[in-house]
Amino acid sequence: MAQSGRQLPLLVQLRDDATLDNFLAADTSAALLEAVREMSAGQGEAMVFIHGAQGSGKSHLLQGACHLAGDNALYLPLRELSVYPPEEVLSGVETLGLVALDDLDVVMGQQAWEHALFGLYNRAREWGCRLLIAADAAPRVLGVELADLRSRLSWGVVYQLLSADDEQKRAILQYRASRRGLNLGDDVAGFIVTRAPRDLSQLLDLLDQLDRASLARKRALSIPFVKQVLGW
């Protein structure tokens, strides 16, 4: 239950760098990326469900979709918003073209949230609102207690987003660095990947730190410089 006096945030900030253009899609996720682009344009599937481990890029895709859709979309990170009454969080959102529900697994098993989400699903179909949903597991194994909600979540297209291996992480790191105008060689990228946290979002946070340090000190990204900045 929400704490008394807690005010629901009117606007959830999207990460500036979480766009579909800088999401480096593996061959296995190219179809998913295309489906998300179509939803952002008000086309394609009425509901897409994405599941994968933490750090696999689900939040990036959801935020990127909302960036592309603009004012006609809303990103709702349920991990942050679960402390609020669900009727406040979900009230009237079906009038938008796209609603992105992140971390759905966090609120599963909570009766109020499950009933509110079932109601949103029905209203979204009436209004033509597309739902882009992300969770850590597929609908059939998600801890959903409300049978009607479980069946509705399975009606849409379901994609699994696999976590990147070290080679893919290095490619993602170099791709994101190049978009910032940074030259990140294979040796330096490999050095960072083998010593950084396994979570991709944390890896990209390190790139932010290195970008700022490189700009401030006017230094290229070399292994000695990376060691100095990151304390490795």
Coordinates of all heavy atoms in Angstrom, one line a residue, residues 111-209:
Q111 N -2.6 -8.4 -5.7 CA -4.0 -8.5 -6.3 C -4.4 -7.1 -6.9 O -5.0 -7.1 -8.0 CB -4.9 -8.9 -5.2 CG -6.4 -9.1 -5.7 CD -7.3 -9.5 -4.6 OE1 -7.2 -9.1 -3.4 NE2 -8.2 -10.5 -4.8
A112 N -4.2 -6.0 -6.2 CA -4.6 -4.7 -6.7 C -4.0 -4.4 -8.0 O -4.6 -3.9 -9.0 CB -4.3 -3.6 -5.7
W113 N -2.7 -4.7 -8.2 CA -2.0 -4.4 -9.4 C -2.4 -5.3 -10.5 O -2.6 -4.9 -11.7 CB -0.5 -4.5 -9.2 CG 0.2 -3.3 -8.8 CD1 0.6 -2.9 -7.5 CD2 0.5 -2.2 -9.6 NE1 1.1 -1.7 -7.5 CE2 1.1 -1.2 -8.8 CE3 0.4 -1.9 -10.9 CZ2 1.6 0.0 -9.2 CZ3 0.9 -0.7 -11.4 CH2 1.4 0.3 -10.6
E114 N -2.6 -6.6 -10.2 CA -3.1 -7.5 -11.3 C -4.4 -7.1 -11.8 O -4.7 -7.1 -13.1 CB -3.1 -8.9 -10.8 CG -1.6 -9.5 -10.5 CD -1.6 -11.0 -10.3 OE1 -2.7 -11.6 -10.5 OE2 -0.5 -11.5 -10.0
H115 N -5.4 -6.8 -11.0 CA -6.7 -6.4 -11.4 C -6.6 -5.0 -12.2 O -7.3 -4.9 -13.2 CB -7.6 -6.2 -10.2 CG -8.2 -7.6 -9.8 ND1 -9.2 -8.2 -10.3 CD2 -7.8 -8.4 -8.7 CE1 -9.5 -9.3 -9.7 NE2 -8.6 -9.5 -8.8
A116 N -5.8 -4.1 -11.7 CA -5.6 -2.8 -12.4 C -5.0 -3.0 -13.8 O -5.4 -2.4 -14.8 CB -4.8 -1.9 -11.6
L117 N -4.1 -3.9 -13.9 CA -3.4 -4.2 -15.2 C -4.4 -4.9 -16.2 O -4.4 -4.6 -17.4 CB -2.2 -5.0 -15.0 CG -1.0 -4.3 -14.4 CD1 0.1 -5.2 -13.9 CD2 -0.4 -3.3 -15.5
F118 N -5.2 -5.8 -15.6 CA -6.2 -6.4 -16.5 C -7.2 -5.4 -17.0 O -7.6 -5.4 -18.2 CB -7.0 -7.5 -15.6 CG -8.1 -8.2 -16.4 CD1 -7.8 -9.0 -17.5 CD2 -9.4 -8.0 -16.0 CE1 -8.8 -9.7 -18.2 CE2 -10.4 -8.6 -16.7 CZ -10.2 -9.5 -17.8
G119 N -7.6 -4.5 -16.1 CA -8.5 -3.4 -16.6 C -7.8 -2.5 -17.7 O -8.5 -2.1 -18.6
L120 N -6.6 -2.2 -17.5 CA -5.8 -1.4 -18.5 C -5.8 -2.2 -19.8 O -6.0 -1.5 -20.9 CB -4.4 -1.2 -18.0 CG -3.5 -0.5 -19.1 CD1 -4.0 0.8 -19.5 CD2 -2.1 -0.4 -18.5
Y121 N -5.6 -3.5 -19.8 CA -5.5 -4.2 -21.0 C -6.9 -4.1 -21.8 O -6.9 -3.8 -23.0 CB -5.3 -5.7 -20.7 CG -5.3 -6.6 -22.0 CD1 -4.2 -6.8 -22.7 CD2 -6.5 -7.2 -22.4 CE1 -4.2 -7.5 -23.9 CE2 -6.5 -7.9 -23.6 CZ -5.4 -8.1 -24.3 OH -5.4 -8.9 -25.4
N122 N -8.0 -4.2 -21.1 CA -9.3 -4.1 -21.7 C -9.5 -2.7 -22.3 O -10.0 -2.5 -23.4 CB -10.4 -4.5 -20.8 CG -10.3 -6.0 -20.4 OD1 -9.9 -6.8 -21.2 ND2 -10.7 -6.3 -19.2
R123 N -9.2 -1.7 -21.5 CA -9.4 -0.3 -21.9 C -8.4 0.0 -23.1 O -8.8 0.8 -24.0 CB -9.1 0.7 -20.8 CG -10.1 0.5 -19.6 CD -10.0 1.7 -18.7 NE -8.6 2.0 -18.2 CZ -8.0 1.4 -17.2 NH1 -8.7 0.5 -16.5 NH2 -6.8 1.8 -16.8
A124 N -7.2 -0.5 -23.1 CA -6.3 -0.2 -24.2 C -6.8 -0.8 -25.5 O -6.7 -0.2 -26.6 CB -4.9 -0.9 -23.9
R125 N -7.5 -1.9 -25.5 CA -8.0 -2.5 -26.7 C -9.2 -1.6 -27.2 O -9.4 -1.5 -28.4 CB -8.5 -3.9 -26.5 CG -7.4 -4.9 -26.3 CD -7.9 -6.4 -26.2 NE -8.6 -6.9 -27.3 CZ -7.9 -7.4 -28.4 NH1 -6.6 -7.5 -28.4 NH2 -8.6 -7.8 -29.4
E126 N -9.9 -1.1 -26.3 CA -11.1 -0.2 -26.7 C -10.6 1.1 -27.4 O -11.1 1.5 -28.3 CB -11.9 0.1 -25.5 CG -12.7 -1.1 -24.9 CD -13.4 -0.7 -23.7 OE1 -13.5 0.5 -23.3 OE2 -14.0 -1.6 -23.0
W127 N -9.5 1.6 -26.8 CA -9.0 2.9 -27.3 C -7.9 2.8 -28.4 O -7.5 3.8 -29.0 CB -8.3 3.6 -26.1 CG -9.3 4.3 -25.2 CD1 -10.0 3.7 -24.2 CD2 -9.7 5.7 -25.2 NE1 -10.8 4.6 -23.5 CE2 -10.7 5.8 -24.2 CE3 -9.4 6.8 -26.0 CZ2 -11.3 7.1 -23.9 CZ3 -10.0 8.0 -25.8 CH2 -10.9 8.1 -24.7
G128 N -7.5 1.6 -28.7 CA -6.4 1.4 -29.7 C -5.1 1.7 -29.2 O -4.2 2.1 -30.0
C129 N -4.9 1.6 -27.9 CA -3.6 1.9 -27.3 C -2.7 0.7 -27.3 O -3.1 -0.4 -26.9 CB -3.8 2.4 -25.8 SG -2.2 2.5 -24.9
R130 N -1.5 0.8 -27.8 CA -0.6 -0.3 -27.9 C 0.2 -0.5 -26.6 O 0.6 0.5 -26.0 CB 0.4 -0.2 -29.1 CG -0.3 -0.4 -30.4 CD 0.6 -0.1 -31.6 NE 0.0 -0.6 -32.8 CZ -1.1 -0.1 -33.4 NH1 -1.7 1.0 -33.0 NH2 -1.5 -0.7 -34.5
L131 N 0.4 -1.7 -26.1 CA 1.1 -2.0 -24.9 C 2.4 -2.7 -25.2 O 2.4 -3.7 -25.8 CB 0.2 -2.9 -24.0 CG -1.1 -2.3 -23.5 CD1 -1.9 -3.3 -22.7 CD2 -0.9 -1.0 -22.7
L132 N 3.5 -2.1 -24.7 CA 4.8 -2.7 -24.8 C 5.2 -3.1 -23.4 O 5.4 -2.2 -22.5 CB 5.8 -1.7 -25.4 CG 7.2 -2.1 -25.7 CD1 7.3 -3.4 -26.5 CD2 8.0 -1.0 -26.3
I133 N 5.4 -4.3 -23.1 CA 5.6 -4.8 -21.8 C 6.9 -5.6 -21.6 O 7.3 -6.3 -22.5 CB 4.4 -5.8 -21.4 CG1 3.1 -5.0 -21.5 CG2 4.6 -6.3 -19.9 CD1 1.9 -5.9 -21.3
A134 N 7.6 -5.4 -20.5 CA 8.9 -6.1 -20.2 C 8.8 -6.7 -18.9 O 8.3 -6.1 -17.9 CB 10.1 -5.1 -20.4
A135 N 9.4 -7.9 -18.8 CA 9.5 -8.6 -17.5 C 10.7 -9.5 -17.5 O 11.3 -9.7 -18.6 CB 8.2 -9.4 -17.2
D136 N 11.0 -10.2 -16.4 CA 12.2 -11.0 -16.3 C 11.8 -12.5 -16.8 O 12.7 -13.3 -16.9 CB 12.8 -11.0 -14.9 CG 11.8 -11.6 -13.9 OD1 10.7 -12.0 -14.2 OD2 12.3 -11.7 -12.7
A137 N 10.6 -12.8 -17.0 CA 10.2 -14.1 -17.5 C 9.0 -14.0 -18.4 O 8.3 -13.0 -18.5 CB 9.8 -15.0 -16.3
A138 N 8.8 -15.1 -19.2 CA 7.7 -15.2 -20.2 C 6.4 -15.2 -19.4 O 6.3 -15.7 -18.3 CB 7.9 -16.4 -21.1
P139 N 5.3 -14.8 -20.1 CA 4.0 -14.8 -19.4 C 3.6 -16.2 -18.8 O 3.0 -16.2 -17.7 CB 3.0 -14.4 -20.5 CG 3.9 -13.6 -21.5 CD 5.2 -14.3 -21.4
R140 N 3.9 -17.3 -19.5 CA 3.5 -18.6 -19.0 C 4.2 -19.0 -17.7 O 3.7 -19.9 -17.0 CB 3.7 -19.6 -20.1 CG 5.2 -19.9 -20.3 CD 5.4 -20.9 -21.4 NE 6.8 -21.2 -21.7 CZ 7.6 -20.5 -22.4 NH1 7.2 -19.5 -23.0 NH2 8.9 -20.9 -22.5
V141 N 5.3 -18.4 -17.4 CA 6.0 -18.8 -16.1 C 6.1 -17.6 -15.2 O 6.7 -17.7 -14.1 CB 7.4 -19.3 -16.4 CG1 7.4 -20.6 -17.2 CG2 8.3 -18.3 -17.2
L142 N 5.5 -16.5 -15.5 CA 5.5 -15.3 -14.6 C 4.6 -15.6 -13.5 O 3.5 -16.3 -13.6 CB 5.1 -14.1 -15.4 CG 5.4 -12.7 -14.9 CD1 7.0 -12.6 -14.9 CD2 4.8 -11.6 -15.8
G143 N 4.9 -15.1 -12.3 CA 4.0 -15.4 -11.1 C 2.7 -14.6 -11.1 O 2.5 -13.8 -10.2
V144 N 1.9 -14.8 -12.1 CA 0.6 -14.1 -12.2 C -0.5 -15.0 -11.6 O -0.7 -16.1 -11.9 CB 0.2 -13.9 -13.7 CG1 -1.0 -13.0 -13.8 CG2 1.4 -13.2 -14.4
E145 N -1.2 -14.4 -10.6 CA -2.2 -15.1 -9.9 C -3.6 -15.0 -10.6 O -4.4 -15.9 -10.5 CB -2.3 -14.7 -8.4 CG -1.1 -15.0 -7.6 CD -1.2 -14.6 -6.2 OE1 -2.2 -14.0 -5.8 OE2 -0.2 -14.8 -5.4
L146 N -3.8 -13.9 -11.2 CA -5.1 -13.7 -11.9 C -5.1 -14.3 -13.3 O -4.4 -13.9 -14.2 CB -5.4 -12.1 -12.0 CG -6.7 -11.7 -12.7 CD1 -7.9 -12.2 -11.8 CD2 -6.7 -10.2 -12.9
A147 N -5.9 -15.4 -13.4 CA -5.9 -16.2 -14.6 C -6.2 -15.4 -15.8 O -5.6 -15.6 -16.9 CB -6.8 -17.4 -14.4
D148 N -7.2 -14.5 -15.7 CA -7.6 -13.7 -16.9 C -6.4 -12.8 -17.4 O -6.2 -12.7 -18.6 CB -8.8 -12.8 -16.5 CG -10.1 -13.6 -16.5 OD1 -10.1 -14.7 -17.0 OD2 -11.0 -13.1 -15.8
L149 N -5.6 -12.3 -16.4 CA -4.5 -11.5 -16.8 C -3.4 -12.3 -17.5 O -2.8 -11.9 -18.5 CB -3.9 -10.8 -15.6 CG -2.6 -9.9 -15.8 CD1 -2.9 -8.8 -16.9 CD2 -2.1 -9.3 -14.5
R150 N -3.2 -13.5 -16.9 CA -2.1 -14.4 -17.5 C -2.5 -14.7 -18.9 O -1.6 -14.7 -19.8 CB -2.0 -15.7 -16.7 CG -0.9 -16.6 -17.1 CD -0.8 -17.9 -16.4 NE -0.8 -17.8 -15.0 CZ -1.8 -18.1 -14.2 NH1 -3.0 -18.6 -14.7 NH2 -1.8 -17.9 -12.9
S151 N -3.7 -15.0 -19.2 CA -4.1 -15.4 -20.6 C -4.0 -14.1 -21.5 O -3.5 -14.3 -22.6 CB -5.6 -15.9 -20.6 OG -6.5 -14.9 -20.3
R152 N -4.3 -13.0 -21.0 CA -4.2 -11.8 -21.9 C -2.8 -11.5 -22.2 O -2.4 -11.1 -23.3 CB -4.8 -10.5 -21.2 CG -6.3 -10.6 -20.8 CD -7.2 -10.9 -22.0 NE -8.6 -10.8 -21.7 CZ -9.3 -11.8 -21.2 NH1 -8.8 -13.0 -21.0 NH2 -10.6 -11.6 -21.0
L153 N -1.9 -11.7 -21.2 CA -0.4 -11.4 -21.5 C 0.1 -12.3 -22.5 O 1.1 -12.0 -23.2 CB 0.4 -11.5 -20.2 CG 0.1 -10.5 -19.1 CD1 0.8 -10.8 -17.8 CD2 0.4 -9.1 -19.6
S154 N -0.5 -13.5 -22.7 CA 0.0 -14.5 -23.6 C -0.6 -14.3 -25.0 O -0.2 -14.9 -26.0 CB -0.3 -15.9 -23.2 OG 0.3 -16.2 -21.9
W155 N -1.6 -13.4 -25.1 CA -2.2 -13.2 -26.4 C -1.3 -12.4 -27.4 O -1.4 -12.5 -28.6 CB -3.5 -12.4 -26.2 CG -4.7 -13.3 -25.7 CD1 -4.6 -14.6 -25.4 CD2 -6.0 -12.9 -25.5 NE1 -5.8 -15.1 -25.0 CE2 -6.7 -14.0 -25.0 CE3 -6.7 -11.7 -25.6 CZ2 -8.0 -14.0 -24.7 CZ3 -8.0 -11.6 -25.3 CH2 -8.7 -12.8 -24.8
G156 N -0.5 -11.5 -26.9 CA 0.4 -10.7 -27.7 C 1.6 -11.5 -28.2 O 1.7 -12.7 -28.0
V157 N 2.4 -10.8 -29.0 CA 3.7 -11.4 -29.5 C 4.7 -11.4 -28.4 O 4.9 -10.3 -27.7 CB 4.2 -10.7 -30.7 CG1 5.5 -11.3 -31.2 CG2 3.1 -10.7 -31.8
V158 N 5.3 -12.5 -28.1 CA 6.3 -12.6 -27.0 C 7.7 -12.8 -27.6 O 7.9 -13.7 -28.5 CB 6.0 -13.8 -26.1 CG1 7.0 -13.9 -25.0 CG2 4.6 -13.6 -25.5
Y159 N 8.6 -12.0 -27.2 CA 10.0 -12.1 -27.6 C 10.9 -12.3 -26.4 O 10.7 -11.7 -25.3 CB 10.5 -10.8 -28.3 CG 9.9 -10.5 -29.6 CD1 8.8 -9.7 -29.7 CD2 10.5 -11.0 -30.8 CE1 8.2 -9.4 -31.0 CE2 9.9 -10.7 -32.0 CZ 8.8 -9.9 -32.1 OH 8.2 -9.7 -33.4
Q160 N 12.0 -13.1 -26.6 CA 13.0 -13.2 -25.5 C 14.2 -12.4 -26.0 O 14.7 -12.5 -27.1 CB 13.4 -14.7 -25.3 CG 14.5 -14.8 -24.2 CD 14.9 -16.3 -24.0 OE1 14.5 -17.1 -24.8 NE2 15.6 -16.5 -22.9
L161 N 14.7 -11.5 -25.1 CA 15.9 -10.7 -25.3 C 17.0 -11.4 -24.6 O 17.1 -11.4 -23.3 CB 15.7 -9.3 -24.9 CG 16.7 -8.3 -25.4 CD1 16.8 -8.2 -26.9 CD2 16.3 -6.9 -24.8
L162 N 18.0 -12.0 -25.3 CA 19.1 -12.7 -24.7 C 20.1 -11.7 -24.2 O 20.4 -10.6 -24.8 CB 19.7 -13.6 -25.7 CG 18.8 -14.7 -26.2 CD1 19.5 -15.6 -27.3 CD2 18.3 -15.6 -25.1
S163 N 20.8 -12.0 -23.1 CA 21.9 -11.2 -22.6 C 23.0 -11.3 -23.5 O 23.3 -12.3 -24.1 CB 22.3 -11.7 -21.2 OG 21.2 -11.5 -20.3
A164 N 23.8 -10.2 -23.6 CA 24.9 -10.1 -24.5 C 26.1 -10.9 -23.9 O 26.3 -10.9 -22.7 CB 25.3 -8.7 -24.8
D165 N 26.8 -11.7 -24.8 CA 28.0 -12.3 -24.3 C 29.2 -11.3 -24.4 O 29.0 -10.1 -24.8 CB 28.3 -13.5 -25.1 CG 28.5 -13.3 -26.6 OD1 28.8 -12.1 -27.0 OD2 28.3 -14.2 -27.4
D166 N 30.4 -11.7 -24.0 CA 31.5 -10.7 -24.0 C 31.8 -10.1 -25.3 O 32.1 -8.9 -25.4 CB 32.7 -11.4 -23.4 CG 32.7 -11.6 -21.9 OD1 31.7 -11.1 -21.3 OD2 33.6 -12.2 -21.3
E167 N 31.7 -10.9 -26.4 CA 32.0 -10.4 -27.7 C 30.9 -9.3 -28.1 O 31.3 -8.3 -28.7 CB 32.0 -11.5 -28.7 CG 32.3 -11.1 -30.2 CD 32.4 -12.2 -31.1 OE1 32.4 -13.4 -30.7 OE2 32.5 -12.0 -32.4
Q168 N 29.7 -9.6 -27.8 CA 28.6 -8.6 -28.1 C 28.7 -7.4 -27.3 O 28.5 -6.3 -27.8 CB 27.3 -9.3 -27.9 CG 26.9 -10.4 -28.9 CD 25.7 -11.2 -28.6 OE1 25.4 -11.4 -27.4 NE2 25.0 -11.7 -29.6
K169 N 29.1 -7.6 -26.0 CA 29.3 -6.4 -25.1 C 30.4 -5.5 -25.7 O 30.3 -4.3 -25.7 CB 29.6 -6.8 -23.7 CG 28.5 -7.4 -23.0 CD 28.9 -7.8 -21.6 CE 27.7 -8.4 -20.8 NZ 28.1 -8.9 -19.5
R170 N 31.5 -6.1 -26.2 CA 32.6 -5.3 -26.7 C 32.1 -4.5 -28.0 O 32.4 -3.3 -28.1 CB 33.7 -6.2 -27.1 CG 35.0 -5.5 -27.6 CD 36.1 -6.4 -27.9 NE 35.8 -7.3 -29.0 CZ 36.5 -8.4 -29.3 NH1 37.5 -8.7 -28.6 NH2 36.1 -9.1 -30.3
A171 N 31.3 -5.2 -28.8 CA 30.7 -4.5 -30.0 C 29.8 -3.4 -29.6 O 29.8 -2.3 -30.2 CB 30.0 -5.6 -30.9
I172 N 29.0 -3.6 -28.6 CA 28.0 -2.6 -28.1 C 28.8 -1.4 -27.6 O 28.5 -0.2 -27.9 CB 27.1 -3.2 -27.1 CG1 26.1 -4.2 -27.7 CG2 26.3 -2.1 -26.4 CD1 25.3 -5.0 -26.7
L173 N 29.8 -1.7 -26.8 CA 30.7 -0.6 -26.2 C 31.3 0.2 -27.3 O 31.3 1.4 -27.2 CB 31.7 -1.3 -25.3 CG 32.4 -0.4 -24.2 CD1 31.3 0.1 -23.2 CD2 33.4 -1.1 -23.5
Q174 N 31.9 -0.4 -28.3 CA 32.6 0.3 -29.4 C 31.6 1.1 -30.2 O 31.8 2.2 -30.6 CB 33.3 -0.7 -30.2 CG 34.6 -1.3 -29.5 CD 35.3 -2.3 -30.4 OE1 34.8 -3.3 -30.7 NE2 36.5 -1.9 -30.8
Y175 N 30.4 0.5 -30.4 CA 29.3 1.2 -31.2 C 28.9 2.4 -30.5 O 28.8 3.5 -31.1 CB 28.2 0.2 -31.4 CG 27.0 0.8 -32.1 CD1 27.0 1.1 -33.4 CD2 25.8 1.0 -31.4 CE1 25.9 1.7 -34.1 CE2 24.7 1.5 -32.0 CZ 24.7 1.9 -33.4 OH 23.6 2.4 -34.0
R176 N 28.6 2.3 -29.2 CA 28.2 3.5 -28.4 C 29.3 4.5 -28.3 O 29.0 5.7 -28.3 CB 27.7 3.0 -27.0 CG 26.5 2.1 -27.0 CD 25.2 2.8 -27.4 NE 24.8 3.7 -26.4 CZ 24.0 3.3 -25.4 NH1 23.6 2.1 -25.3 NH2 23.6 4.2 -24.5
A177 N 30.5 4.1 -28.2 CA 31.7 5.0 -28.1 C 31.8 5.8 -29.4 O 32.0 7.0 -29.4 CB 32.9 4.3 -27.8
S178 N 31.6 5.1 -30.5 CA 31.7 5.7 -31.8 C 30.7 6.8 -32.0 O 30.9 7.8 -32.7 CB 31.7 4.7 -33.0 OG 30.4 4.1 -33.1
R179 N 29.5 6.6 -31.5 CA 28.4 7.6 -31.6 C 28.7 8.8 -30.8 O 28.1 9.9 -31.0 CB 27.1 7.0 -31.2 CG 26.6 5.9 -32.2 CD 25.2 5.4 -31.8 NE 24.2 6.4 -31.9 CZ 23.5 6.7 -33.0 NH1 23.8 6.0 -34.2 NH2 22.6 7.6 -33.1
R180 N 29.6 8.7 -29.8 CA 30.1 9.8 -29.0 C 31.3 10.5 -29.6 O 31.8 11.4 -29.0 CB 30.4 9.4 -27.6 CG 29.2 8.8 -26.8 CD 29.7 8.1 -25.6 NE 28.6 7.6 -24.8 CZ 28.2 8.1 -23.6 NH1 28.7 9.2 -23.2 NH2 27.2 7.6 -23.0
G181 N 31.8 10.0 -30.7 CA 33.0 10.5 -31.3 C 34.3 10.0 -30.6 O 35.4 10.6 -30.7
L182 N 34.2 8.9 -29.9 CA 35.3 8.3 -29.2 C 35.9 7.1 -30.0 O 35.1 6.3 -30.5 CB 34.9 7.8 -27.8 CG 34.5 8.8 -26.8 CD1 33.9 8.1 -25.5 CD2 35.6 9.7 -26.4
N183 N 37.2 7.0 -30.0 CA 37.8 5.9 -30.7 C 38.2 4.8 -29.6 O 39.0 5.1 -28.7 CB 39.1 6.3 -31.4 CG 39.8 5.2 -32.1 OD1 39.2 4.2 -32.4 ND2 41.1 5.3 -32.3
L184 N 37.5 3.7 -29.6 CA 37.7 2.7 -28.6 C 38.2 1.4 -29.3 O 37.4 0.7 -30.0 CB 36.4 2.4 -27.9 CG 36.5 1.5 -26.6 CD1 37.4 2.1 -25.6 CD2 35.1 1.2 -26.1
G185 N 39.5 1.2 -29.2 CA 40.1 0.1 -29.9 C 39.7 -1.3 -29.4 O 39.2 -1.4 -28.2
D186 N 39.9 -2.3 -30.1 CA 39.6 -3.7 -29.7 C 40.2 -4.1 -28.4 O 39.6 -4.7 -27.5 CB 39.9 -4.7 -30.7 CG 39.1 -4.6 -32.0 OD1 38.0 -4.0 -31.9 OD2 39.5 -5.2 -33.0
D187 N 41.5 -3.7 -28.2 CA 42.2 -4.1 -27.0 C 41.7 -3.4 -25.8 O 41.5 -4.0 -24.7 CB 43.7 -3.8 -27.1 CG 44.0 -2.3 -27.5 OD1 43.1 -1.6 -28.0 OD2 45.2 -1.9 -27.2
V188 N 41.3 -2.1 -25.9 CA 40.8 -1.3 -24.8 C 39.4 -1.8 -24.5 O 39.0 -2.0 -23.3 CB 40.8 0.2 -25.1 CG1 40.3 1.0 -23.9 CG2 42.2 0.7 -25.5
A189 N 38.6 -2.0 -25.5 CA 37.2 -2.5 -25.3 C 37.2 -3.8 -24.6 O 36.4 -4.1 -23.6 CB 36.4 -2.6 -26.6
G190 N 38.1 -4.7 -25.0 CA 38.2 -6.1 -24.4 C 38.6 -6.0 -23.0 O 38.1 -6.7 -22.1
F191 N 39.6 -5.1 -22.7 CA 40.1 -4.9 -21.4 C 38.9 -4.4 -20.4 O 38.8 -4.9 -19.3 CB 41.2 -3.8 -21.4 CG 41.7 -3.5 -20.0 CD1 42.6 -4.3 -19.3 CD2 41.3 -2.3 -19.4 CE1 43.1 -4.0 -18.1 CE2 41.7 -1.9 -18.1 CZ 42.6 -2.8 -17.5
I192 N 38.1 -3.5 -20.9 CA 37.0 -3.0 -20.1 C 36.0 -4.1 -19.8 O 35.5 -4.3 -18.7 CB 36.3 -1.8 -20.8 CG1 37.3 -0.6 -20.9 CG2 35.1 -1.4 -20.0 CD1 36.8 0.5 -21.7
V193 N 35.6 -4.8 -20.9 CA 34.6 -5.9 -20.7 C 35.0 -7.0 -19.8 O 34.1 -7.4 -18.9 CB 34.2 -6.4 -22.1 CG1 33.4 -7.7 -22.0 CG2 33.5 -5.4 -23.0
T194 N 36.2 -7.4 -19.8 CA 36.7 -8.5 -18.9 C 36.8 -8.1 -17.5 O 36.7 -8.9 -16.6 CB 38.0 -9.0 -19.4 OG1 39.0 -8.0 -19.4 CG2 37.9 -9.6 -20.8
R195 N 36.8 -6.8 -17.2 CA 37.0 -6.3 -15.8 C 35.7 -5.6 -15.2 O 35.6 -5.4 -14.0 CB 38.2 -5.4 -15.7 CG 39.5 -6.2 -15.8 CD 40.7 -5.2 -16.1 NE 41.9 -6.0 -16.2 CZ 42.3 -6.7 -17.2 NH1 41.5 -6.9 -18.2 NH2 43.4 -7.4 -17.2
A196 N 34.8 -5.2 -16.1 CA 33.6 -4.5 -15.7 C 32.6 -5.4 -15.1 O 32.6 -6.6 -15.3 CB 33.1 -3.7 -16.9
P197 N 31.6 -4.9 -14.4 CA 30.4 -5.7 -14.0 C 29.7 -6.3 -15.2 O 29.8 -5.8 -16.3 CB 29.5 -4.6 -13.3 CG 30.4 -3.5 -12.9 CD 31.5 -3.4 -14.0
R198 N 29.1 -7.5 -15.0 CA 28.5 -8.2 -16.0 C 27.2 -7.5 -16.6 O 26.9 -7.7 -17.7 CB 28.1 -9.6 -15.5 CG 29.2 -10.4 -14.8 CD 30.4 -10.5 -15.6 NE 30.3 -11.2 -16.9 CZ 31.2 -11.2 -17.8 NH1 32.3 -10.6 -17.7 NH2 31.0 -11.9 -18.9
D199 N 26.6 -6.7 -15.8 CA 25.4 -6.0 -16.2 C 25.7 -5.0 -17.3 O 26.6 -4.1 -17.1 CB 24.7 -5.3 -15.0 CG 23.4 -4.7 -15.3 OD1 23.4 -3.6 -15.9 OD2 22.4 -5.3 -15.0
L200 N 25.0 -5.0 -18.4 CA 25.3 -4.1 -19.5 C 25.1 -2.7 -19.2 O 25.8 -1.8 -19.6 CB 24.4 -4.5 -20.7 CG 24.6 -3.8 -22.0 CD1 26.1 -3.9 -22.5 CD2 23.7 -4.3 -23.1
S201 N 24.0 -2.4 -18.4 CA 23.8 -1.0 -18.0 C 24.9 -0.4 -17.2 O 25.3 0.8 -17.4 CB 22.5 -0.8 -17.3 OG 22.5 -1.6 -16.1
Q202 N 25.5 -1.2 -16.3 CA 26.7 -0.7 -15.6 C 27.9 -0.6 -16.4 O 28.7 0.4 -16.2 CB 27.0 -1.8 -14.4 CG 25.9 -1.8 -13.4 CD 26.3 -2.8 -12.3 OE1 26.0 -4.0 -12.5 NE2 26.8 -2.4 -11.2
L203 N 28.0 -1.4 -17.4 CA 29.1 -1.3 -18.4 C 29.0 0.1 -19.1 O 30.0 0.8 -19.3 CB 29.1 -2.4 -19.4 CG 30.2 -2.5 -20.5 CD1 31.6 -2.6 -19.9 CD2 29.9 -3.6 -21.4
L204 N 27.8 0.4 -19.6 CA 27.6 1.6 -20.3 C 27.8 2.9 -19.4 O 28.2 3.9 -19.8 CB 26.2 1.6 -21.0 CG 26.1 0.6 -22.1 CD1 24.7 0.6 -22.6 CD2 27.1 0.8 -23.2
D205 N 27.5 2.7 -18.1 CA 27.7 3.8 -17.1 C 29.2 4.1 -17.1 O 29.7 5.2 -16.9 CB 27.2 3.4 -15.7 CG 25.7 3.5 -15.7 OD1 25.1 4.2 -16.5 OD2 25.1 2.9 -14.7
L206 N 30.1 3.0 -17.2 CA 31.5 3.2 -17.2 C 31.9 4.0 -18.4 O 32.9 4.8 -18.3 CB 32.2 1.9 -17.1 CG 32.1 1.0 -15.8 CD1 32.9 -0.2 -15.9 CD2 32.5 1.8 -14.6
L207 N 31.3 3.7 -19.5 CA 31.6 4.5 -20.7 C 31.3 6.0 -20.5 O 32.0 6.8 -21.0 CB 30.8 3.9 -21.9 CG 31.1 4.6 -23.3 CD1 32.5 4.5 -23.7 CD2 30.1 4.0 -24.3
D208 N 30.2 6.3 -19.8 CA 29.9 7.7 -19.5 C 31.0 8.3 -18.7 O 31.4 9.4 -19.0 CB 28.6 7.8 -18.7 CG 27.3 7.5 -19.5 OD1 27.4 7.6 -20.8 OD2 26.3 7.1 -18.9
Q209 N 31.5 7.6 -17.7 CA 32.5 8.1 -16.9 C 33.8 8.3 -17.7 O 34.5 9.3 -17.5 CB 32.8 7.1 -15.8 CG 33.8 7.5 -14.7 CD 33.9 6.5 -13.6 OE1 33.1 5.6 -13.4 NE2 34.9 6.7 -12.8

